Amino acid sequence: MELNRIISAIKEKQSEIKSVFFVGCGASKAELYPAKYFLEGNAKHLRTSLYTANEFNYATPVSVDDTSIVITCSLGGATPETVEATTLAKEKGAHVIAVTHVEDSAITTDAEYVVYHGFHESYAAKMEKMTKVLGLATEILNQFEGYQHYEKMLDGFDKIYGLIENAVSSVVPQAKAFADAYKDDEVIYVMSSGATHEVAYSFSICLLMEMQWINSGTFHDGEFFHGPFEIVDKDVPFLLLMNDGKTRGMDARALEFLQRFDAKTTVVDAKDFGLGSAISSEVVDYFNPMLISGVIRVYAEQLAIVRNHPLTKRRYMWKLEY
Amino acid sequence: MELNRIISAIKEKQSEIKSVFFVGCGASKAELYPAKYFLEGNAKHLRTSLYTANEFNYATPVSVDDTSIVITCSLGGATPETVEATTLAKEKGAHVIAVTHVEDSAITTDAEYVVYHGFHESYAAKMEKMTKVLGLATEILNQFEGYQHYEKMLDGFDKIYGLIENAVSSVVPQAKAFADAYKDDEVIYVMSSGATHEVAYSFSICLLMEMQWINSGTFHDGEFFHGPFEIVDKDVPFLLLMNDGKTRGMDARALEFLQRFDAKTTVVDAKDFGLGSAISSEVVDYFNPMLISGVIRVYAEQLAIVRNHPLTKRRYMWKLEY
């Protein structure tokens, strides 16, 4: 397996890896989050951080050196900050892995290793980026520290793409209902917990703000009760992404509150798509983000249709220098 | 110095500390961020993480043990999740420091060490929480790894409270102008970078959403160009918190874009309050959040006055069980 070989190659050169940095921007940053969350929760020795690329470039952590692995990620491989971070990490002596969809793109130049992922082919292909990065994190943990549920993770990787394709095949009716109900809203809040936290973030800042020009806010649903919940009132629009895993209790608590005060609530629940019956409970948490991202991609597409605002429509991006 | 003694006492018991966890909710979570940012950027060996308390409780990292320091924080000391996290961390054998305003509050019961901070006395007192936690991080780094700019940090701690009091003494006119201009807005976006990133978050979810019931969104201004900036149009309301330090270039780039497209933009800039001339450039980054938080507290107060909506007004918090 490709990811296994990359990490083995790094280990041959440097037996002591101390830090793992994930670096990207926007959706690509958010898609690194499940891997960072996995390492942060399961590693006993490895350090791990997630940076938006220019934060990494402007205030580079002192620990970026030959004892670190830096994983940079850009869909098109040309995001200037992420390309710069890749070069900077190389200069500092780090072991650099670039993750991108586009062969020989700028991000690959200074990367020692490149992982390519699909995108256009299917919903599952769109989730390869997030999934392969989680695969890298799994290999890093297993090879440098050992990981007792390694085989269960591999089993999850075998099953997740099929689960995504199966889920998206049936969700158009719910997605249409969401689109009809939310199409004229002034603002939409999105929240989740666990490994899915930045899926909510990404849906908010990319799918809603960037691709639909809809006002949006996002926060961890464990944080909901410590500030944001005061905005709740009848018909205030929320999208809640519910995990099948350890943090489900937090999601459920937020849902109960939203329903109690009659907020306009749409739930996308991994449990509805059989995630927990297919994947071992010890590792199921880490596969929620891929499944839920696949499903809510359909929600965004239906919103784009009913609002007559294609997901590719932009005012600024791709149109001008900034 | 109290903070120095606490970390010395931990070091006497456990010479090898591997991980530092910061755990809190809402504003108290955000006020832990500068310390986490400082350690993440400057430590070569120490691991560090910031968790909203229930995430820590529901999916406890495997590395919480006697080689870890857990710093929990709650203003009133009674936040149930944070109290639970304090107990859980103690049970796992971690060295637990609770940070709170209220003597003998629930959070102190299972904490091995307690750091008290002011609150009501002044704007500077309100910033003691954030500042003392940064002080703990500074001691941890210096005592366990050594930190070349330790003396400069101590000098910063000596000066920051005076800088805050001086800054807030002159900002009422700007704060009033902000309040008048934004009082009827449907949504207000808040952003920043560097150590100040979660000051923007906290202003958004606590001061605006919780205390004013104003819709809001927040993101790192390095992320702005990778999604959220597509929402920008003439008169879309933004509050930009500008740092005096390494990440200023990111803040400036966001400002330029906002001005170019005529967004309704208010800037609170640490440079306007002499932060950089008082505190050494090697460490100035870490003192932006305290100064800027003090200043924007005045902005929130003026907004509350002009909207006739006291900052203490709630629909749910303190009023019902949830």
Side-chain angles (χ1 to χ4, degrees), chain B residues 49-79:
Chain B
S49 291
L50 173 61
Y51 281 92
T52 185
N54 258 349
E55 184 73 52
F56 183 85
N57 298 332
Y58 282 69
T60 312
V62 301
S63 50
V64 180
D65 61 20
D66 64 351
T67 65
S68 63
I69 295 174
V70 176
I71 298 174
T72 61
C73 182
S74 163
L75 176 64
T79 311

Side-chain angles (χ1 to χ4, degrees), chain B residues 3-15:
Chain B
L3 308 177
N4 176 301
R5 278 199 307 269
I6 290 173
I7 305 306
S8 300
I10 292 172
K11 199 178 177 188
E12 264 177 45
K13 288 185 207 163
Q14 172 61 269
S15 61

Side-chain angles (χ1 to χ4, degrees), chain A residues 93-272:
Chain A
H95 306 269
V96 185
I97 308 169
V99 180
T100 182
H101 173 58
V102 178
E103 232 173 295
D104 299 328
S105 54
I107 200 177
T108 68
T109 307
D110 283 327
E112 202 174 346
Y113 310 92
V114 182
V115 174
Y116 290 106
H117 58 81
F119 189 74
H120 298 291
E121 308 87 300
S122 65
Y123 292 93
K126 286 192 207 325
M127 299 309 134
E128 276 182 23
K129 178 162 52 162
M130 207 190 281
T131 309
K132 287 191 170 190
V133 175
L134 178 62
L136 286 169
T138 306
E139 288 298 332
I140 291 169
L141 182 61
N142 192 52
Q143 295 194 33
F144 286 95
E145 292 194 15
Y147 178 50
Q148 60 172 325
H149 302 306
Y150 176 70
E151 295 296 333
K152 286 170 182 163
M153 287 295 285
L154 295 191
D155 182 61
F157 291 124
D158 279 346
K159 290 176 178 159
I160 188 64
Y161 297 116
L163 285 162
I164 294 166
E165 285 301 308
N166 187 54
V168 297
S169 71
S170 69
V171 298
V172 170
Q174 298 98 291
K176 270 195 173 137
F178 167 80
D180 286 332
Y182 287 67
K183 67 182 182 336
D184 299 319
D185 283 324
E186 287 286 322
V187 59
I188 301 172
Y189 291 106
V190 194
M191 56 181 173
S192 190
S193 68
T196 312
H197 170 42
E198 292 211 3
V199 174
Y201 168 79
S202 180
F203 194 84
S204 173
I205 69 156
C206 296
L207 275 311
L208 293 177
M209 295 182 72
E210 175 184 331
M211 302 186 193
Q212 288 296 301
W213 310 348
I214 294 175
N215 287 306
S216 182
T218 179
F219 27 81
H220 191 291
D221 60 32
E223 290 279 280
F224 177 58
F225 294 96
H226 302 279
F229 80 143
E230 284 284 336
I231 208 80
V232 168
D233 205 350
K234 187 166 157 42
D235 297 330
V236 174
F238 276 82
L239 173 62
L240 175 65
L241 312 179
M242 291 187 71
N243 291 274
D244 192 348
K246 294 195 197 92
T247 64
R248 186 173 182 82
M250 271 186 277
D251 308 334
R253 184 183 174 209
L255 176 60
E256 195 186 319
F257 191 90
L258 291 171
Q259 290 178 334
R260 183 173 166 194
F261 294 98
D262 238 352
K264 184 195 280 191
T265 306
T266 292
V267 172
V268 173
D269 185 351
K271 254 199 197 304
D272 291 340

Side-chain angles (χ1 to χ4, degrees), chain A residues 275-291:
Chain A
L275 190 71
S277 41
I279 295 180
S280 167
S281 63
E282 283 94 345
V283 300
V284 69
D285 291 68
Y286 312 113
F287 294 92
N288 281 274
M290 296 86 194
L291 181 73

Side-chain angles (χ1 to χ4, degrees), chain A residues 18 37 40-41 45-47 49 52 55 62 81 189 201 215 220 223 226 230 232 315-317 321, chain B residues 18 37 40-41 45-47 49 52 55 62 81 189 201 215 220 223 226 230 232 315-317:
Chain A
K18 288 184 191 162
Y37 179 85
E40 193 166 33
H45 308 288
L46 287 162
R47 311 166 76 245
S49 291
T52 186
E55 184 73 53
V62 301
E81 299 96 309
Y189 291 106
Y201 168 79
N215 287 306
H220 191 291
E223 290 279 280
H226 302 279
E230 284 284 336
V232 168
R315 313 184 221 230
Y316 312 117
M317 196 178 277
E321 301 277 318
Chain B
K18 287 184 191 164
Y37 179 86
E40 194 166 33
H45 308 288
L46 287 162
R47 310 166 75 242
S49 291
T52 185
E55 184 73 52
V62 301
E81 298 96 309
Y189 290 106
Y201 169 79
N215 287 305
H220 191 292
E223 290 280 279
H226 302 279
E230 285 283 336
V232 169
R315 317 184 218 230
Y316 311 117
M317 196 178 278

Side-chain angles (χ1 to χ4, degrees), chain A residues 22-26 28-30 32 50-54 71-74 79 82, chain B residues 223:
Chain A
F22 297 96
V23 183
C25 294
S28 284
K29 179 184 98 69
L32 294 164
L50 173 60
Y51 282 92
T52 186
N54 258 350
I71 299 173
T72 61
C73 182
S74 164
T79 311
T82 313
Chain B
E223 290 280 279

Side-chain angles (χ1 to χ4, degrees), chain B residues 216-285:
Chain B
S216 182
T218 179
F219 28 80
H220 191 292
D221 59 32
E223 290 280 279
F224 177 57
F225 294 96
H226 302 279
F229 80 143
E230 285 283 336
I231 208 79
V232 169
D233 205 350
K234 187 166 157 45
D235 296 330
V236 173
F238 276 82
L239 173 61
L240 175 66
L241 312 179
M242 290 188 71
N243 291 274
D244 191 348
K246 294 194 197 92
T247 63
R248 186 174 182 82
M250 270 186 278
D251 308 334
R253 184 183 174 210
L255 176 60
E256 194 186 320
F257 191 90
L258 291 170
Q259 290 177 333
R260 182 172 165 196
F261 295 99
D262 238 353
K264 184 195 281 191
T265 306
T266 292
V267 172
V268 174
D269 185 350
K271 255 198 196 304
D272 290 341
F273 306 102
L275 191 71
S277 42
I279 294 180
S280 165
S281 63
E282 283 93 345
V283 300
V284 69
D285 291 68

